[in-house]
Coordinates of all heavy atoms in Angstrom, one line a residue:
M25 N 105.1 106.2 112.7 CA 105.1 105.1 111.8 C 105.4 105.6 110.3 O 105.8 104.8 109.5 CB 103.7 104.5 111.8 CG 103.7 103.2 111.1 SD 102.2 102.2 111.1 CE 101.5 102.3 112.7
L26 N 105.1 106.8 110.0 CA 105.4 107.3 108.7 C 106.9 107.3 108.3 O 107.2 107.0 107.2 CB 104.8 108.8 108.5 CG 104.8 109.3 107.1 CD1 103.9 108.5 106.2 CD2 104.2 110.7 107.1
K27 N 107.7 107.6 109.3 CA 109.2 107.6 109.0 C 109.6 106.1 108.7 O 110.4 105.9 107.8 CB 109.9 108.1 110.3 CG 109.9 109.6 110.4 CD 110.8 110.0 111.6 CE 110.8 111.5 111.8 NZ 111.6 111.9 112.9
L28 N 109.1 105.2 109.4 CA 109.4 103.8 109.2 C 108.9 103.4 107.8 O 109.6 102.7 107.1 CB 108.7 102.9 110.3 CG 108.8 101.4 110.1 CD1 110.3 101.0 110.1 CD2 108.0 100.6 111.1
F29 N 107.7 103.8 107.4 CA 107.1 103.5 106.1 C 108.0 104.1 105.0 O 108.3 103.4 104.0 CB 105.7 104.0 106.0 CG 105.0 103.6 104.8 CD1 105.2 102.4 104.2 CD2 104.0 104.5 104.2 CE1 104.5 102.0 103.1 CE2 103.3 104.1 103.1 CZ 103.5 102.9 102.5
R30 N 108.5 105.4 105.2 CA 109.3 106.0 104.2 C 110.6 105.2 104.0 O 111.1 105.0 102.9 CB 109.6 107.4 104.6 CG 108.4 108.4 104.4 CD 108.7 109.8 104.7 NE 109.8 110.3 103.7 CZ 110.5 111.3 104.0 NH1 110.5 112.0 105.1 NH2 111.4 111.7 103.0
A31 N 111.2 104.8 105.2 CA 112.5 104.1 105.1 C 112.3 102.7 104.5 O 113.1 102.3 103.6 CB 113.0 103.9 106.5
T32 N 111.2 102.1 104.8 CA 110.8 100.8 104.2 C 110.7 100.9 102.7 O 111.1 100.0 101.9 CB 109.6 100.2 104.8 OG1 109.8 100.1 106.2 CG2 109.3 98.8 104.3
A33 N 110.0 102.0 102.2 CA 109.8 102.2 100.8 C 111.1 102.3 100.1 O 111.3 101.7 99.0 CB 108.9 103.5 100.6
I34 N 112.1 103.1 100.6 CA 113.4 103.2 100.0 C 114.1 101.9 100.0 O 114.7 101.5 99.0 CB 114.2 104.3 100.8 CG1 113.5 105.7 100.7 CG2 115.6 104.4 100.3 CD1 113.4 106.2 99.2
L35 N 114.2 101.2 101.1 CA 114.9 100.0 101.2 C 114.3 98.9 100.3 O 115.1 98.1 99.7 CB 115.0 99.5 102.7 CG 115.8 100.3 103.6 CD1 115.6 99.9 105.1 CD2 117.3 100.3 103.2
E36 N 113.0 98.9 100.2 CA 112.4 97.9 99.3 C 112.8 98.2 97.9 O 113.0 97.2 97.1 CB 110.8 98.0 99.5 CG 110.1 96.7 99.0 CD 109.7 96.8 97.5 OE1 109.7 97.9 97.0 OE2 109.5 95.8 96.9
G37 N 112.8 99.4 97.5 CA 113.2 99.8 96.2 C 114.6 99.4 95.9 O 115.0 98.9 94.8
I38 N 115.5 99.7 96.8 CA 116.9 99.3 96.7 C 117.1 97.8 96.6 O 117.8 97.3 95.7 CB 117.7 99.9 97.9 CG1 117.8 101.4 97.8 CG2 119.2 99.3 97.9 CD1 118.4 102.1 99.0
S39 N 116.4 97.1 97.4 CA 116.5 95.6 97.4 C 116.0 95.0 96.1 O 116.6 94.1 95.5 CB 115.8 94.9 98.6 OG 114.4 95.0 98.4
Y40 N 114.9 95.6 95.5 CA 114.4 95.2 94.3 C 115.4 95.4 93.1 O 115.6 94.5 92.3 CB 113.1 96.0 94.0 CG 112.2 95.4 92.9 CD1 112.2 94.1 92.5 CD2 111.3 96.3 92.3 CE1 111.3 93.7 91.6 CE2 110.5 95.9 91.3 CZ 110.5 94.5 90.9 OH 109.6 94.1 90.0
L41 N 116.0 96.6 93.1 CA 117.0 96.9 92.1 C 118.2 96.0 92.2 O 118.8 95.5 91.3 CB 117.3 98.3 92.1 CG 116.2 99.3 91.7 CD1 116.6 100.7 91.9 CD2 115.7 99.0 90.3
A42 N 118.7 95.8 93.5 CA 119.8 94.9 93.7 C 119.6 93.5 93.3 O 120.4 92.8 92.7 CB 120.2 95.0 95.2
L43 N 118.4 93.0 93.6 CA 118.0 91.6 93.2 C 118.0 91.5 91.7 O 118.6 90.5 91.2 CB 116.6 91.3 93.7 CG 116.1 89.9 93.5 CD1 116.9 88.9 94.3 CD2 114.6 89.8 94.0
F44 N 117.4 92.4 91.0 CA 117.3 92.2 89.5 C 118.5 92.7 88.8 O 118.8 92.2 87.7 CB 116.0 92.9 89.0 CG 114.8 92.1 89.3 CD1 113.9 92.5 90.2 CD2 114.5 90.9 88.6 CE1 112.8 91.8 90.5 CE2 113.4 90.1 88.9 CZ 112.5 90.6 89.9
G45 N 119.2 93.7 89.3 CA 120.3 94.3 88.6 C 121.7 93.8 88.9 O 122.6 93.9 88.1
I46 N 121.8 93.1 90.1 CA 123.1 92.6 90.5 C 123.1 91.1 90.8 O 123.8 90.4 90.2 CB 123.6 93.4 91.8 CG1 123.7 94.9 91.5 CG2 124.9 92.8 92.3 CD1 124.0 95.7 92.8
T47 N 122.2 90.7 91.7 CA 122.3 89.3 92.1 C 121.8 88.3 91.1 O 122.3 87.2 91.0 CB 121.7 89.1 93.5 OG1 120.3 89.3 93.4 CG2 122.3 90.0 94.5
M48 N 120.7 88.6 90.4 CA 120.2 87.7 89.3 C 121.2 87.5 88.2 O 121.4 86.4 87.8 CB 118.8 88.1 88.8 CG 117.8 87.8 89.9 SD 116.1 88.1 89.4 CE 115.8 86.6 88.6
P49 N 121.9 88.6 87.7 CA 122.9 88.4 86.7 C 124.1 87.5 87.3 O 124.6 86.7 86.6 CB 123.4 89.8 86.4 CG 122.2 90.6 86.6 CD 121.5 90.0 87.8
L50 N 124.4 87.7 88.6 CA 125.4 86.9 89.2 C 125.0 85.4 89.2 O 125.8 84.5 88.9 CB 125.8 87.3 90.6 CG 126.6 88.6 90.8 CD1 126.7 89.0 92.2 CD2 128.0 88.3 90.2
K51 N 123.8 85.2 89.5 CA 123.3 83.8 89.6 C 123.2 83.1 88.2 O 123.7 82.0 88.1 CB 121.9 83.8 90.2 CG 121.3 82.4 90.3 CD 119.9 82.5 90.9 CE 119.3 81.1 91.0 NZ 117.9 81.1 91.6
Y52 N 122.7 83.8 87.2 CA 122.5 83.2 85.9 C 123.7 83.3 84.9 O 123.8 82.4 84.1 CB 121.2 83.7 85.3 CG 120.0 83.2 86.1 CD1 119.3 84.1 86.8 CD2 119.6 81.9 86.1 CE1 118.2 83.7 87.6 CE2 118.5 81.5 86.9 CZ 117.8 82.4 87.6 OH 116.8 81.9 88.4
W53 N 124.4 84.4 85.0 CA 125.5 84.5 84.1 C 126.9 84.1 84.7 O 127.7 83.6 83.9 CB 125.6 86.0 83.7 CG 124.4 86.5 82.9 CD1 123.6 85.7 82.2 CD2 124.0 87.8 82.6 NE1 122.6 86.5 81.6 CE2 122.9 87.8 81.8 CE3 124.5 89.0 83.1 CZ2 122.2 88.9 81.4 CZ3 123.9 90.2 82.7 CH2 122.7 90.1 81.9
A54 N 127.1 84.3 86.0 CA 128.3 84.0 86.6 C 128.2 82.7 87.4 O 129.2 82.2 88.0 CB 128.9 85.1 87.4
E55 N 127.0 82.1 87.5 CA 126.8 80.9 88.3 C 127.2 81.0 89.8 O 127.8 80.2 90.3 CB 127.4 79.7 87.6 CG 126.8 79.5 86.3 CD 127.5 78.3 85.5 OE1 128.2 77.5 86.2 OE2 127.2 78.1 84.3
I56 N 126.9 82.2 90.4 CA 127.1 82.5 91.8 C 125.8 82.7 92.4 O 125.3 83.9 92.5 CB 128.0 83.7 92.0 CG1 129.3 83.6 91.2 CG2 128.3 84.0 93.4 CD1 130.2 84.8 91.1
P57 N 125.1 81.7 93.0 CA 123.8 81.8 93.5 C 123.6 82.4 94.9 O 122.5 82.8 95.3 CB 123.2 80.4 93.4 CG 124.5 79.5 93.6 CD 125.6 80.3 93.0
G58 N 124.7 82.4 95.7 CA 124.6 82.8 97.1 C 124.0 84.2 97.3 O 123.1 84.3 98.1
P59 N 124.5 85.2 96.7 CA 124.0 86.6 96.9 C 122.5 86.7 96.5 O 121.7 87.4 97.2 CB 124.8 87.5 96.0 CG 126.1 86.7 95.8 CD 125.7 85.3 95.8
N60 N 122.1 86.0 95.5 CA 120.7 86.1 95.1 C 119.7 85.6 96.2 O 118.7 86.1 96.4 CB 120.5 85.3 93.8 CG 119.1 85.6 93.2 OD1 118.9 86.7 92.8 ND2 118.3 84.6 93.0
K61 N 120.1 84.5 96.8 CA 119.3 84.0 97.9 C 119.2 84.9 99.1 O 118.1 85.2 99.6 CB 119.9 82.6 98.4 CG 119.1 81.9 99.3 CD 119.7 80.5 99.6 CE 118.7 79.7 100.5 NZ 119.3 78.4 100.8
L62 N 120.3 85.5 99.5 CA 120.3 86.5 100.6 C 119.5 87.7 100.3 O 118.7 88.2 101.1 CB 121.7 86.8 101.0 CG 122.6 85.7 101.6 CD1 124.0 86.2 101.8 CD2 122.0 85.2 102.9
V63 N 119.8 88.3 99.1 CA 119.1 89.5 98.8 C 117.6 89.2 98.5 O 116.7 90.0 98.8 CB 119.7 90.2 97.5 CG1 118.9 91.4 97.0 CG2 121.1 90.7 97.9
G64 N 117.3 88.0 98.0 CA 115.9 87.6 97.8 C 115.2 87.5 99.1 O 114.0 88.0 99.1
Y65 N 115.8 87.0 100.1 CA 115.1 86.9 101.4 C 114.9 88.3 102.0 O 113.8 88.6 102.5 CB 116.0 86.1 102.4 CG 115.9 84.6 102.3 CD1 117.0 83.9 102.5 CD2 114.8 84.0 101.9 CE1 117.0 82.5 102.4 CE2 114.7 82.6 101.7 CZ 115.9 81.9 102.0 OH 115.8 80.5 101.8
A66 N 115.9 89.2 101.9 CA 115.7 90.5 102.4 C 114.6 91.3 101.6 O 113.8 92.0 102.2 CB 117.1 91.3 102.2
H67 N 114.6 91.1 100.3 CA 113.6 91.8 99.5 C 112.2 91.3 99.8 O 111.3 92.0 99.9 CB 113.9 91.6 98.0 CG 112.8 92.1 97.2 ND1 112.5 93.4 97.0 CD2 111.8 91.5 96.4 CE1 111.4 93.6 96.2 NE2 111.0 92.4 95.8
G68 N 112.1 90.0 100.0 CA 110.8 89.4 100.4 C 110.3 90.0 101.7 O 109.1 90.3 101.8
A69 N 111.2 90.1 102.7 CA 110.8 90.6 104.0 C 110.4 92.1 103.9 O 109.4 92.6 104.5 CB 111.9 90.5 105.0
L70 N 111.2 92.9 103.1 CA 110.9 94.3 102.9 C 109.6 94.5 102.1 O 108.8 95.4 102.3 CB 112.0 95.0 102.2 CG 113.3 95.2 103.1 CD1 114.5 95.5 102.2 CD2 113.0 96.2 104.1
F71 N 109.3 93.6 101.1 CA 108.1 93.7 100.4 C 106.9 93.5 101.3 O 105.9 94.2 101.2 CB 108.1 92.6 99.3 CG 106.8 92.5 98.5 CD1 106.5 93.4 97.5 CD2 105.9 91.5 98.8 CE1 105.3 93.3 96.8 CE2 104.7 91.4 98.1 CZ 104.4 92.3 97.1
I72 N 106.9 92.4 102.1 CA 105.8 92.2 103.1 C 105.7 93.4 104.0 O 104.5 93.8 104.3 CB 106.1 90.9 103.8 CG1 105.9 89.7 102.8 CG2 105.1 90.7 105.0 CD1 106.4 88.4 103.4
A73 N 106.8 93.9 104.5 CA 106.7 95.1 105.4 C 106.1 96.3 104.7 O 105.3 97.0 105.3 CB 108.2 95.4 105.9
F74 N 106.5 96.5 103.4 CA 106.0 97.6 102.7 C 104.5 97.5 102.5 O 103.7 98.5 102.7 CB 106.7 97.7 101.3 CG 106.2 98.9 100.5 CD1 106.7 100.1 100.7 CD2 105.3 98.7 99.5 CE1 106.2 101.2 99.9 CE2 104.8 99.7 98.7 CZ 105.3 101.0 98.9
I75 N 104.0 96.3 102.1 CA 102.5 96.1 101.9 C 101.8 96.3 103.3 O 100.7 96.9 103.4 CB 102.3 94.7 101.3 CG1 102.8 94.7 99.9 CG2 100.8 94.4 101.3 CD1 102.2 95.7 98.9
T76 N 102.4 95.7 104.4 CA 101.7 95.8 105.7 C 101.7 97.2 106.1 O 100.6 97.7 106.6 CB 102.5 94.9 106.7 OG1 102.6 93.6 106.2 CG2 101.9 95.0 108.1
L77 N 102.8 98.0 105.9 CA 102.8 99.4 106.3 C 101.9 100.2 105.5 O 101.3 101.2 105.9 CB 104.2 99.9 106.3 CG 105.1 99.4 107.5 CD1 106.6 99.8 107.3 CD2 104.6 100.0 108.8
T78 N 101.7 99.9 104.2 CA 100.8 100.6 103.3 C 99.4 100.5 103.9 O 98.7 101.5 104.0 CB 100.8 100.0 101.9 OG1 102.1 100.2 101.3 CG2 99.7 100.6 101.0
I79 N 99.0 99.3 104.3 CA 97.7 99.1 104.9 C 97.6 99.8 106.2 O 96.6 100.6 106.5 CB 97.4 97.6 105.1 CG1 97.3 97.0 103.7 CG2 96.1 97.4 105.9 CD1 97.3 95.5 103.7
L80 N 98.5 99.7 107.1 CA 98.5 100.3 108.4 C 98.5 101.9 108.3 O 97.6 102.5 109.0 CB 99.6 99.8 109.3 CG 99.6 98.4 109.7 CD1 100.9 98.0 110.5 CD2 98.3 98.1 110.6
V81 N 99.4 102.4 107.6 CA 99.5 103.9 107.5 C 98.3 104.4 106.7 O 97.7 105.4 107.0 CB 100.8 104.3 106.8 CG1 100.8 105.8 106.5 CG2 102.0 103.9 107.7
G82 N 97.8 103.6 105.7 CA 96.6 104.0 104.9 C 95.4 104.1 105.8 O 94.6 105.1 105.7
Y83 N 95.3 103.2 106.7 CA 94.1 103.2 107.7 C 94.3 104.3 108.7 O 93.3 105.1 108.9 CB 94.1 101.8 108.4 CG 93.0 101.8 109.5 CD1 91.7 101.6 109.0 CD2 93.3 101.9 110.8 CE1 90.6 101.5 110.0 CE2 92.2 101.8 111.7 CZ 90.9 101.6 111.3 OH 89.9 101.6 112.3
E84 N 95.5 104.6 109.1 CA 95.8 105.6 110.1 C 95.5 107.0 109.5 O 94.9 107.9 110.1 CB 97.2 105.5 110.6 CG 97.6 106.6 111.6 CD 99.1 106.4 111.9 OE1 99.4 105.5 112.6 OE2 99.9 107.2 111.5
K85 N 95.9 107.2 108.2 CA 95.8 108.5 107.5 C 94.5 108.6 106.8 O 94.2 109.6 106.1 CB 97.0 108.7 106.6 CG 98.3 108.7 107.2 CD 98.5 110.0 108.0 CE 99.9 110.0 108.5 NZ 100.2 111.2 109.3
K86 N 93.7 107.6 106.8 CA 92.4 107.5 106.1 C 92.5 107.8 104.6 O 91.8 108.6 104.0 CB 91.4 108.6 106.7 CG 91.1 108.2 108.2 CD 90.2 109.3 108.8 CE 89.7 109.0 110.2 NZ 90.7 108.6 111.1
W87 N 93.5 107.1 104.0 CA 93.7 107.1 102.6 C 92.5 106.4 101.9 O 92.0 105.4 102.4 CB 95.0 106.5 102.1 CG 96.2 107.3 102.6 CD1 96.3 108.6 103.0 CD2 97.5 106.8 102.6 NE1 97.6 108.9 103.2 CE2 98.4 107.8 103.0 CE3 98.1 105.5 102.3 CZ2 99.7 107.7 103.2 CZ3 99.4 105.4 102.5 CH2 100.3 106.4 102.9
G88 N 92.2 106.8 100.7 CA 91.2 106.2 99.8 C 91.8 104.9 99.2 O 93.0 104.7 99.2
I89 N 90.9 104.2 98.5 CA 91.3 102.9 97.9 C 92.3 103.2 96.7 O 93.2 102.4 96.5 CB 90.1 102.1 97.4 CG1 90.5 100.7 97.0 CG2 89.3 102.8 96.3 CD1 90.9 99.8 98.1
K90 N 92.1 104.3 96.0 CA 93.0 104.7 94.9 C 94.4 104.8 95.3 O 95.3 104.3 94.7 CB 92.5 106.0 94.3 CG 93.3 106.4 93.1 CD 92.9 107.7 92.5 CE 93.8 108.1 91.3 NZ 93.4 109.5 90.8
K91 N 94.7 105.5 96.4 CA 96.0 105.7 96.9 C 96.6 104.4 97.4 O 97.8 104.1 97.1 CB 96.0 106.7 98.1 CG 97.4 107.3 98.4 CD 97.2 108.5 99.4 CE 98.4 109.4 99.4 NZ 98.2 110.5 100.3
L92 N 95.8 103.5 98.0 CA 96.3 102.2 98.5 C 96.7 101.4 97.2 O 97.7 100.7 97.3 CB 95.2 101.5 99.3 CG 94.9 102.1 100.7 CD1 93.8 101.4 101.3 CD2 96.2 102.1 101.6
L93 N 95.9 101.4 96.2 CA 96.2 100.7 95.0 C 97.5 101.2 94.3 O 98.3 100.4 93.7 CB 95.0 100.7 94.0 CG 93.8 99.9 94.5 CD1 92.7 100.1 93.5 CD2 94.1 98.4 94.6
I94 N 97.7 102.5 94.3 CA 98.9 103.1 93.8 C 100.1 102.5 94.5 O 101.1 102.1 93.9 CB 98.9 104.6 93.8 CG1 97.8 105.2 92.8 CG2 100.2 105.2 93.6 CD1 97.5 106.6 92.9
F95 N 100.0 102.5 95.9 CA 101.1 102.0 96.6 C 101.3 100.5 96.4 O 102.5 100.0 96.3 CB 101.0 102.2 98.1 CG 101.4 103.6 98.6 CD1 100.5 104.6 98.5 CD2 102.7 103.8 99.0 CE1 100.9 105.9 98.9 CE2 103.0 105.1 99.4 CZ 102.2 106.1 99.4
G96 N 100.3 99.7 96.2 CA 100.4 98.3 95.9 C 101.0 98.1 94.6 O 101.9 97.2 94.5
A97 N 100.6 98.8 93.6 CA 101.3 98.7 92.3 C 102.7 99.1 92.3 O 103.6 98.5 91.6 CB 100.5 99.5 91.2
A98 N 103.0 100.1 93.1 CA 104.4 100.6 93.2 C 105.3 99.5 93.7 O 106.5 99.5 93.4 CB 104.5 101.9 94.1
S99 N 104.8 98.6 94.6 CA 105.7 97.6 95.1 C 106.1 96.6 94.1 O 107.0 95.8 94.3 CB 104.9 96.9 96.3 OG 103.9 96.1 95.8
L100 N 105.4 96.6 93.0 CA 105.7 95.6 91.9 C 106.5 96.1 90.7 O 107.0 95.4 89.9 CB 104.3 95.1 91.3 CG 103.4 94.4 92.3 CD1 102.1 94.1 91.7 CD2 104.0 93.2 93.0
L101 N 106.7 97.4 90.7 CA 107.4 98.0 89.6 C 108.8 98.6 90.0 O 108.9 99.3 91.1 CB 106.6 99.2 89.0 CG 105.2 98.8 88.5 CD1 104.4 100.0 88.2 CD2 105.3 97.9 87.3
P102 N 109.8 98.4 89.3 CA 111.2 99.0 89.6 C 111.1 100.5 89.7 O 110.4 101.1 88.8 CB 112.1 98.5 88.5 CG 111.4 97.3 87.9 CD 109.9 97.5 88.0
F103 N 111.7 101.1 90.6 CA 111.8 102.5 90.8 C 110.5 103.2 91.3 O 110.5 104.3 91.8 CB 112.2 103.3 89.6 CG 113.6 102.9 89.0 CD1 113.7 102.1 87.9 CD2 114.7 103.3 89.7 CE1 115.0 101.7 87.4 CE2 116.0 103.0 89.2 CZ 116.1 102.2 88.1
A104 N 109.4 102.4 91.3 CA 108.1 103.0 91.7 C 108.0 103.4 93.2 O 107.4 104.3 93.6 CB 107.0 102.1 91.3
T105 N 108.7 102.6 94.1 CA 108.6 102.9 95.5 C 109.4 104.2 95.8 O 109.0 105.0 96.7 CB 109.2 101.8 96.4 OG1 110.6 101.5 96.0 CG2 108.4 100.5 96.3
F106 N 110.4 104.5 95.0 CA 111.1 105.8 95.1 C 110.1 106.9 94.7 O 110.1 108.0 95.4 CB 112.3 105.9 94.3 CG 113.4 104.8 94.6 CD1 113.7 103.9 93.6 CD2 113.9 104.7 95.8 CE1 114.6 102.9 93.9 CE2 114.9 103.7 96.1 CZ 115.2 102.8 95.1
Y107 N 109.4 106.7 93.7 CA 108.4 107.7 93.2 C 107.3 108.0 94.3 O 107.1 109.1 94.6 CB 107.8 107.2 91.9 CG 106.7 108.1 91.4 CD1 106.9 109.3 90.8 CD2 105.3 107.7 91.6 CE1 105.8 110.2 90.4 CE2 104.3 108.5 91.2 CZ 104.5 109.7 90.6 OH 103.5 110.5 90.2
V108 N 106.7 106.9 94.8 CA 105.6 107.2 95.7 C 106.1 107.8 97.0 O 105.5 108.5 97.7 CB 104.8 105.9 96.0 CG1 104.0 105.5 94.8 CG2 105.5 104.8 96.6
E109 N 107.4 107.4 97.4 CA 107.9 108.0 98.6 C 108.1 109.5 98.5 O 107.8 110.3 99.3 CB 109.3 107.3 98.9 CG 109.9 107.7 100.3 CD 110.7 109.0 100.3 OE1 111.2 109.3 99.2 OE2 110.7 109.7 101.3
K110 N 108.6 109.9 97.3 CA 108.8 111.3 97.0 C 107.5 112.1 96.8 O 107.3 113.1 97.4 CB 109.7 111.5 95.8 CG 110.0 112.9 95.5 CD 111.0 113.1 94.3 CE 111.3 114.5 94.1 NZ 112.2 114.7 93.0
K111 N 106.6 111.5 96.0 CA 105.4 112.2 95.7 C 104.4 112.2 96.9 O 103.7 113.2 97.1 CB 104.7 111.6 94.5 CG 103.4 112.3 94.1 CD 103.0 111.9 92.7 CE 101.6 112.4 92.5 NZ 101.4 113.4 91.5
Y112 N 104.2 111.1 97.5 CA 103.1 110.9 98.5 C 103.6 111.0 99.9 O 102.9 111.6 100.8 CB 102.3 109.6 98.3 CG 101.6 109.6 97.0 CD1 102.1 108.8 95.9 CD2 100.4 110.3 96.8 CE1 101.5 108.8 94.7 CE2 99.7 110.2 95.6 CZ 100.3 109.4 94.6 OH 99.6 109.4 93.4
L113 N 104.7 110.4 100.2 CA 105.1 110.3 101.7 C 105.8 111.5 102.2 O 105.7 111.9 103.4 CB 105.9 109.0 101.9 CG 105.1 107.7 101.6 CD1 106.0 106.5 101.8 CD2 103.9 107.6 102.4
R114 N 106.6 112.2 101.4 CA 107.4 113.3 101.9 C 106.5 114.5 102.2 O 106.7 115.2 103.1 CB 108.4 113.8 100.8 CG 109.6 112.9 100.8 CD 110.7 113.6 99.9 NE 111.7 112.6 99.7 CZ 112.7 112.7 98.8 NH1 112.8 113.9 98.1 NH2 113.6 111.8 98.6
S115 N 105.4 114.6 101.5 CA 104.5 115.7 101.7 C 103.4 115.4 102.8 O 102.7 116.2 103.3 CB 103.7 116.0 100.4 OG 102.9 114.9 100.0
E116 N 103.4 114.1 103.3 CA 102.5 113.7 104.3 C 102.9 114.3 105.7 O 104.1 114.3 106.0 CB 102.5 112.2 104.3 CG 101.3 111.5 105.0 CD 100.0 111.7 104.3 OE1 99.9 111.7 103.1 OE2 99.0 111.9 105.1
K117 N 101.9 114.7 106.4 CA 102.2 115.4 107.7 C 102.5 114.3 108.7 O 101.8 113.3 108.9 CB 101.0 116.2 108.2 CG 101.4 117.2 109.2 CD 100.3 118.3 109.4 CE 99.1 117.7 110.2 NZ 98.2 118.7 110.5
V118 N 103.6 114.4 109.4 CA 104.0 113.5 110.5 C 103.3 113.9 111.8 O 103.5 115.0 112.2 CB 105.6 113.5 110.7 CG1 105.9 112.5 111.8 CG2 106.2 113.1 109.4
D119 N 102.5 112.9 112.3 CA 101.8 113.2 113.6 C 102.6 112.8 114.8 O 103.4 112.0 114.8 CB 100.5 112.4 113.6 CG 99.5 112.9 112.5 OD1 99.6 114.1 112.2 OD2 98.7 112.2 112.0

């Protein structure tokens, strides 16, 4: 499950950056709303998956509340999921 969580963290970060860096400017500056809707749906699904996996993996690995809150905050900040994936998940032992 840790490999899935790591992949979800990376994909969630990419979708977040794509949403704010590419599709929102297209929507508001170029008046092309289509890509924003698609990437928005993908990002929403990945966000929910990231939070769900945070809880599941945290329970499995017996993480403390501090670590869970760090992951929760990371899901809201640009580039933060890349940081937590590198700092916390790469060093985590795969069972």
Side-chain angles (χ1 to χ4, degrees):
M25 190 177 321
L26 190 59
K27 285 183 181 183
L28 176 63
F29 188 35
R30 288 183 64 201
T32 303
I34 297 295
L35 291 172
E36 197 272 341
I38 291 169
S39 71
Y40 194 27
L41 295 175
L43 185 66
F44 286 107
I46 299 170
T47 65
M48 286 185 85
L50 283 174
K51 179 180 179 180
Y52 293 108
W53 295 339
E55 298 179 11
I56 304 171
N60 192 61
K61 188 174 184 178
L62 295 174
V63 173
Y65 284 145
H67 173 68
L70 288 165
F71 174 80
I72 291 168
F74 181 80
I75 294 298
T76 302
L77 286 167
T78 296
I79 294 166
L80 293 174
V81 172
Y83 180 75
E84 181 183 287
K85 300 286 186 181
K86 296 177 177 49
W87 289 344
I89 191 73
K90 181 181 175 184
K91 200 170 196 180
L92 292 173
L93 289 174
I94 289 170
F95 277 86
S99 70
L100 302 173
L101 302 170
F103 299 104
T105 57
F106 301 117
Y107 171 77
V108 296
E109 190 275 331
K110 183 177 181 180
K111 180 170 172 114
Y112 295 102
L113 297 178
R114 283 189 192 172
S115 63
E116 201 61 44
K117 199 164 80 171
V118 178
D119 293 331

